[in-house]
Amino acid sequence: MIGKHFGLLAAGSIALALCVSGSLVGAALVIVEQRESNGSGSKTNINGKVSGSCSANGVNNTITCAQQGPSMANVAVVESAQQAGLLWFDGPPHELPKIPSKFAGSNSCRDPEFMTWARSTDRLYLTGIEKDVVLTAGDPDLVVLTGANLIISSRQPRSASDGTWIKCIFGGGGITYSYELRIESQTLKNTLTEIVSCDDPSAPKNCAEVFEGPAKPMPPASVALGSKSVADIRITVLSKLDHAYSGKVAVASTVNGADRNFYIGTDNTLLRWVGFEPTSEEEDWYATDNSGRWVKNWSPACGDYCND
């Protein structure tokens, strides 16, 4: 509870005193106690009401003034919920890194702790950067994603057969992001595409899973929230085939008119990803069994039954 006392000097030495107790967040202030000073003078605006202002002259007035609650405006970076389910290790199976024991048997790219471990472990790569930018706005916030630039630190020729696939998601998942920002790694040009679920009334009748709108160059395209809402923007890098990358992404946004620029990845913790995925000849993967051993084609669904 918050208690505040206000003293207002009115015309002709008419004083008002008010005491307000209660939560001030998103609420209105209303006088609950009034008194006239001992001084003399004319009285004005007797028994009146004032809205939208926190001061008035006179006595016996009810004053109501809206208080602005805390802003909901925010820009955050999260691990993408739509992970490819695989990591690629730049080396043979017998050199696979030791995995933390708490992830044995159920290691998953959907687990933030597992992904923190994977991103900090040398020679482990994702099949994309697998990062989303989430915009949140209240009313009357204005939150805008204006652009993103890919900064490549290294690009080396690699093929899937040079390394080892690691299975880190077992099972599928639905689409959760509402926009896809695609960065072309060679031209560094960006396009923005709106993604609409087939459950949405605006989706066409022949929609199968999701409907993709037209790809628009970014800039000038942007994602802007001007009322209470949330937007999840997935960042996808269109990489050169058969190459392994490291780098970071510079993101530009504004929150209620103020610039909010930041990096995804840093010089000390670069993003790592590859420009390939498994083919039919490269379906074999490794995962840790319940004892933490790397086992070919192990799955928590069928255990050793899946092993070759």
Side-chain angles (χ1 to χ4, degrees):
M1 301 292 288
I2 302 174
K4 287 186 179 293
H5 298 271
F6 297 82
L8 304 179
L9 183 60
S13 299
I14 302 297
L16 298 178
L18 67 88
C19 174
V20 180
S21 296
S23 173
L24 299 183
V25 177
L29 300 184
V30 180
I31 290 183
V32 296
E33 178 185 345
Q34 303 175 13
R35 70 173 184 269
E36 184 178 348
S37 71
N38 293 328
S40 61
S42 61
K43 299 177 182 179
T44 60
N45 201 25
I46 298 176
N47 294 324
K49 293 183 179 180
V50 179
S51 298
S53 173
C54 288
S55 64
N57 294 331
V59 295
N60 296 330
N61 293 321
T62 298
I63 303 174
T64 302
C65 52
Q67 298 296 299
Q68 183 69 38
S71 172
M72 296 174 60
N74 191 39
V75 180
V77 178
V78 300
E79 293 286 350
S80 175
Q82 269 66 52
Q83 297 284 352
L86 292 164
L87 301 174
W88 185 77
F89 175 68
D90 190 8
H94 67 270
E95 293 182 6
L96 284 167
K98 181 176 177 56
I99 195 171
S101 58
K102 61 182 175 180
F103 301 122
S106 60
N107 52 312
S108 172
C109 287
R110 292 195 183 101
D111 187 325
E113 288 189 70
F114 177 83
M115 288 306 302
T116 297
W117 172 80
R119 290 189 182 278
S120 63
T121 301
D122 290 340
R123 300 166 70 187
L124 279 183
Y125 291 77
L126 281 71
T127 54
I129 68 169
E130 310 297 354
K131 288 287 190 179
D132 290 1
V133 176
V134 179
L135 308 183
T136 306
D139 196 0
D141 291 321
L142 178 59
V143 182
V144 184
L145 179 70
T146 57
N149 294 318
L150 178 64
I151 302 170
I152 297 174
S153 298
S154 67
R155 176 167 48 200
Q156 300 176 346
R158 289 287 190 278
S159 65
S161 59
D162 294 332
T164 305
W165 288 108
I166 296 172
K167 184 81 167 176
C168 59
I169 284 183
F170 298 89
I175 300 296
T176 60
Y177 52 94
S178 45
Y179 294 86
E180 186 172 10
L181 195 170
R182 297 167 180 152
I183 305 177
E184 221 294 330
S185 66
Q186 294 178 268
T187 64
L188 300 182
K189 291 183 178 179
N190 300 347
T191 56
L192 182 69
T193 302
E194 185 172 7
I195 308 295
V196 179
S197 169
C198 289
D199 298 331
D200 192 283
S202 65
K205 293 182 179 180
N206 61 348
C207 183
E209 182 180 1
V210 295
F211 173 70
E212 294 188 8
K216 301 177 181 179
M218 184 180 192
S222 65
V223 180
L225 303 185
S227 60
K228 190 174 181 179
S229 55
V230 177
D232 187 326
I233 302 98
R234 185 174 196 188
I235 300 180
T236 301
V237 177
L238 305 179
S239 305
K240 188 176 181 179
L241 185 64
D242 290 337
H243 280 75
Y245 291 80
S246 67
K248 57 187 179 181
V249 178
V251 178
S253 66
T254 62
V255 176
N256 293 328
D259 290 340
R260 185 172 295 182
N261 302 323
F262 55 91
Y263 289 100
I264 302 176
T266 68
D267 291 337
N268 294 326
T269 56
L270 292 171
L271 304 173
R272 293 187 301 274
W273 70 97
V274 291
F276 48 77
E277 293 187 0
T279 66
S280 58
E281 292 80 23
E282 297 158 349
E283 292 177 345
D284 293 333
W285 72 78
Y286 281 74
T288 55
D289 64 12
N290 292 328
S291 64
R293 297 179 301 118
W294 288 106
V295 180
K296 187 176 182 180
N297 289 349
W298 188 91
S299 166
C302 57
D304 292 338
Y305 178 79
C306 298
N307 296 350
D308 285 349

